[in-house]
Amino acid sequence: MSRNDPLSLFGRDGDLAHVLRFVDDAAANGGALVLRGEPGVGKTALLDAAVAHASGTTVVRIAGTEFDVEVSFGALGAILHPFVGGLGRLPAVHATALTVALGLGGGGAANQLAVSHAALTLLTQAAGPLLLVVDDLQWIDRASTQILGFVARRLAGTGIGVLAASRTGDGATPAGLPVREVAALGDDAAKALLAHRFPAMPVRVRHRLVEQAQGNPLALLELPTTLSRWQRAGTGALPAVLPLTDRLHEAFATRIGGLPARTRELLLIAALDGEGDLRTLRAVGRDPAPLAAAERLGLVRADGSGDRISFAHPLIRAAVVHEATEAERRRVHRRLAEAHRGHPGRHAWHLAEAATEPDEHVAALLQRSAHTNFRRGSPVHAVSELLRAAELSPAPAGRSTRLAEAAYLGTVVTGDFRDAARLLESAQRAATEPSLGLALASANHVLNRDGDVDGAHRLLAAAIRAAPDPADASDKTLLETLYNLLLVSSFGGADPAQWAELHAAMARLRPRPPELLAILEETFADPARASRAILDRLDTAINGLQHEISPARVVRVAMAASYVDRLTPCRDALTRVIGYGREGGPIASAIEALSLLGAASFHSGQWDDTLERVAEGLGLCVRHGYRLQAWHGRFLRGLIAAARGDHDAAAAAVAEMTAWADPRHSGLVRHHAFQVGALDALGRGDFEAAYRLATSITPAGEFASHVPHALGTVLDLVEAAERTGRHAEAKAHAAAARATGLGTLSPRLALVTRVAAALTAPEGDDGRLFAEALDAPGLDRWPFELARAELYYGERLRKAKAAPQARAYLTATWERFERLGAEPWAVRASAELRAVGARARPAAVVVLTPQQRQIATLAAEGLTNKQIGEQLFLSPRTVGAHLYQLFPKLGVTSRAALRDALTALEDAPR
């Protein structure tokens, strides 16, 4: 019976049946499965059984190797190698992305998301059922792992299966894939396996080996090879202790050590090269024939074509490298670097591994390779290459620059903020003079770590001033520094000196500033004065998002859209960025996208959706150390609390934001805190406090320069001024909104501008202005602003004794506030209804099942669907379905209204 015969899988009946069922089902329907367990537990044997069973299915099998983990897209290339002939049938953007990623040709930046889509399309073009088998997933390069996970989650109905094996605790399994845990063998199965493989071994020796192996099949099969013939026969004394890991390594080392020197040299070349390509052996002047000795021992195996070999297990490869001396390893790396001159990335890496001292030429090659990997969508490997390049830099300036680049990428792309701090400290120690890259990394670090707005601005502005004049608009580092300067200036608020630095730097760019940076300079920095021409350019940029593959660019376009109410058409692109971040892509971009989508959901009245996005974003901020990005999530959470009448939560949000903003001179965060406070004060009827807070953002009668948040508090300021007898100030602010042209920026701001004018109009004119404001199409896209407008008009109609008209508007506004869960506003509308002889409709008496009542009660207490599911042993999807049915049954549209609905249900007559 062969070693790979499925019948030899002792104690694996359940695992084997599960895997074979998966193979059959995947051939028909597609799907993915990851086998996870400790090293040597038998995952590879289960993969062997799956391959043997996959009759009529095309099988592509690869195995990760520890020394290839830094080779970006290496595993992806091996998986897709049989299918590259189909590249010509892909859309041009996908074919280009995949060609660049696989190193098959040149081209522009290959975003990992585009490569993922291209890989999926290429595989689905293959004829017949297909099974992709990946062993040792933990040693697959990260870029390939992310793409494999993307593909594996989208195989339903394709006839393509992905079957992978990964080590427990290595964190290599892509999120969202089904996992089968492969446990250690029980004693009976372990004894049966040893008896089968070593039938002449005495029972006493087998028992001892079973005890020491602790159910690990690889140890059971390999440990006996370390024993002498006398020990295996039971006539020699066994060692007192057989540590599993040490003995396994010794077993491999012993088998390798007995090979001829020529064979060991060939194994070392193959191990360090990682490709297993026999052409590489010939390129370094070595005949591969002596490998036959290793193949006879089962250390390596040849593929069907005879052009490649693979190690029987990664530990064999590790043992080969371990047994070689340092001088031998470097000598082989030098040969491999020469053999790979046509592949700059591999050439640079082997030169780096061969280096014994700092070498600027090698460091520069490796840095160039890092930049290429970053453009190809593999920032993690780019960071690794930059760190190695820094080690090889003979001059402090070069070391500083490369460490700074690694620190910046680690912060803004990969989510490795805490480790980036250490890298930046090293870069600063090595620096001999200021540089743009070091300033960029330093400013980003102090801004994220301490929120030091002024310090970050000084660093960036000084570095930009030191750049040549005129500044080169193609300098990517300079442009990234300018994007960061714009962000830092916005955090500072309306400080004219800070904005002057940015505008002066933009004016120095030649031949012209990049389009997106120019758009952001107006629509994000000072949207109240955004021109019609710049808004048209923004709309063009938004339309291009459907084809945009850069997460950073998607986020920046959405930022430009945020203050001028154009986030809705950005939704799909932002959702892609969030999904990419969840799958291991840029974390910072995903956090920003969650925040932007949360803002869009707030304006569209989907407040529970906003809170869910905020919760996810804040969780990522905590997990990755992004303190700065957390403030906007806290603002949105506080704003909803204020609108819903949760004064304690709103006050806590205001206190938290102002405590953070005041010592850091962050005018932007202060302004957001003031908006939460103003809305909370309006809900409580404290109009004096509301006026004070709203005018702390911008004075009545003007829209201060570079205060974008003034666009969000027009109605707050005007209503508070009217309610406190400041009629002149209210009228001046409404007039300023009209004169500034806020109504031309978006339909929502047109509504706000018209309602402000109606609120301040003399009796007789106000009714006409309200009617005109509420006559515009599509106003239900902004339910909170619309409900406020209807409330104000209903109040005016009630005072004018127009009761029937007042009832119509007040009933509509009460219903909108109820659906939003905006309790203080709903109470105000209800009081107005009573004043005109009507009342809000009571909730109907309904009957809930015990499970529905439990779910509703827990949701009313603020638990998420996941938390409710954990308590009631239900899936989050099931909980969501129940709530979807419960909301209309109870007459509510949000969780915030559940508590009152349940109370009414308890009080209702039975």
Side-chain angles (χ1 to χ4, degrees), residues 13-24:
D13 293 349
D15 293 322
L16 182 59
H18 188 87
V19 168
L20 299 189
R21 278 197 306 272
F22 165 77
V23 172
D24 293 338

Side-chain angles (χ1 to χ4, degrees), residues 136 296 387 661 694:
D136 284 310
R296 285 192 293 271
L387 292 178

Side-chain angles (χ1 to χ4, degrees), residues 701-767:
E702 69 175 274
F703 287 83
S705 175
H706 294 87
V707 181
H709 214 62
L711 276 63
T713 55
V714 176
L715 288 183
D716 298 345
L717 195 156
V718 170
E719 182 186 4
E722 280 288 316
R723 292 280 187 164
T724 57
R726 296 178 173 94
H727 305 299
E729 288 85 348
K731 193 173 185 65
H733 204 62
R738 187 171 57 254
T740 307
L742 297 192
T744 66
L745 299 179
S746 75
R748 185 184 69 86
L749 289 171
L751 170 66
V752 166
T753 302
R754 289 169 182 160
V755 172
L759 276 172
T760 59
E763 188 175 344
D765 292 338
D766 57 347

Side-chain angles (χ1 to χ4, degrees), residues 196-515:
H196 171 71
R197 292 300 301 273
F198 303 96
M201 182 179 290
V203 172
R204 178 179 61 84
V205 178
R206 285 205 297 268
H207 284 182
R208 179 62 190 283
L209 289 173
V210 167
E211 176 186 355
Q212 295 297 311
Q214 298 180 18
N216 186 288
L218 186 61
L220 290 165
L221 297 175
E222 296 294 343
L223 280 173
T225 66
T226 67
L227 303 178
S228 69
R229 178 164 59 92
W230 311 111
Q231 289 171 327
R232 286 196 300 272
T235 57
L238 293 174
V241 178
L242 297 173
L244 182 62
T245 303
D246 291 346
R247 289 299 181 178
L248 280 172
H249 179 75
E250 287 180 18
F252 289 124
T254 300
R255 295 165 69 189
I256 294 164
L259 292 170
R262 192 75 166 172
T263 303
R264 294 200 305 274
E265 181 188 28
L266 289 170
L267 286 175
L268 181 60
I269 294 171
L272 293 178
D273 182 55
E275 292 288 300
D277 193 334
L278 298 184
R279 290 172 297 183
T280 301
L281 295 180
R282 297 186 183 99
V284 297
R286 295 295 182 264
D287 179 4
L291 282 174
E295 190 174 3
R296 285 192 293 271
L297 287 177
L299 298 174
V300 296
R301 50 183 173 235
D303 67 4
S305 67
D307 292 331
R308 290 177 179 272
I309 63 163
S310 59
F311 286 91
H313 192 279
L315 287 177
I316 298 174
R317 186 183 183 202
V320 168
V321 176
H322 180 82
E323 288 300 298
T325 66
E326 187 174 343
E328 289 170 335
R329 291 195 293 268
R330 285 179 175 152
R331 184 165 59 249
V332 168
H333 276 300
R334 283 194 291 271
R335 293 175 183 169
L336 289 171
E338 188 64 28
H340 288 299
R341 276 192 173 275
H343 302 278
R346 298 185 69 83
H347 174 68
W349 186 256
H350 284 299
L351 282 179
E353 291 299 287
T356 58
E357 58 186 19
D359 187 318
E360 178 57 29
H361 171 68
V362 177
L365 288 177
L366 204 55
Q367 184 181 20
R368 196 149 49 239
S369 176
H371 294 166
T372 300
N373 268 327
F374 177 63
R375 291 194 300 271
R376 287 168 58 189
S378 186
V380 174
H381 291 116
V383 171
S384 297
E385 288 174 313
L386 286 168
L387 292 178
R388 181 63 177 138
E391 291 175 357
L392 292 172
S393 302
R399 175 177 171 79
S400 174
T401 297
R402 288 150 188 158
L403 285 172
E405 286 186 9
Y408 181 71
L409 287 184
T411 299
V412 303
V413 179
T414 66
D416 299 325
F417 178 75
R418 293 177 177 88
D419 191 52
R422 177 183 57 81
L423 297 178
L424 180 59
E425 185 179 347
S426 298
Q428 290 167 334
R429 283 199 303 267
T432 56
E433 59 184 25
S435 70
L436 268 176
L438 184 57
L440 178 60
S442 300
N444 192 271
H445 178 68
V446 300
L447 194 62
N448 279 282
R449 183 194 63 190
D450 304 322
D452 185 355
V453 175
D454 292 340
H457 190 277
R458 282 193 299 272
L459 286 167
L460 294 171
I464 292 171
R465 284 196 299 270
D469 190 9
D472 182 3
S474 66
D475 185 333
K476 301 301 183 185
T477 304
L478 174 60
L479 295 182
E480 194 66 24
T481 306
L482 284 169
Y483 276 116
N484 277 261
L485 183 63
L486 187 149
L487 180 65
V488 169
S489 299
S490 71
F491 270 106
D495 185 338
Q498 291 193 351
W499 285 111
E501 288 278 3
L502 174 72
H503 298 321
M506 293 278 287
R508 291 171 54 209
L509 285 174
R510 295 292 183 275
R512 66 184 64 85
E515 179 71 353

Side-chain angles (χ1 to χ4, degrees), residues 884-906:
Y884 181 81
Q885 296 167 355
L886 279 169
F887 278 20
K889 197 171 186 180
L890 291 169
V892 300
T893 58
S894 69
R895 292 171 184 252
L898 276 174
R899 180 177 286 106
D900 289 343
L902 290 171
T903 301
L905 193 61
E906 293 294 333

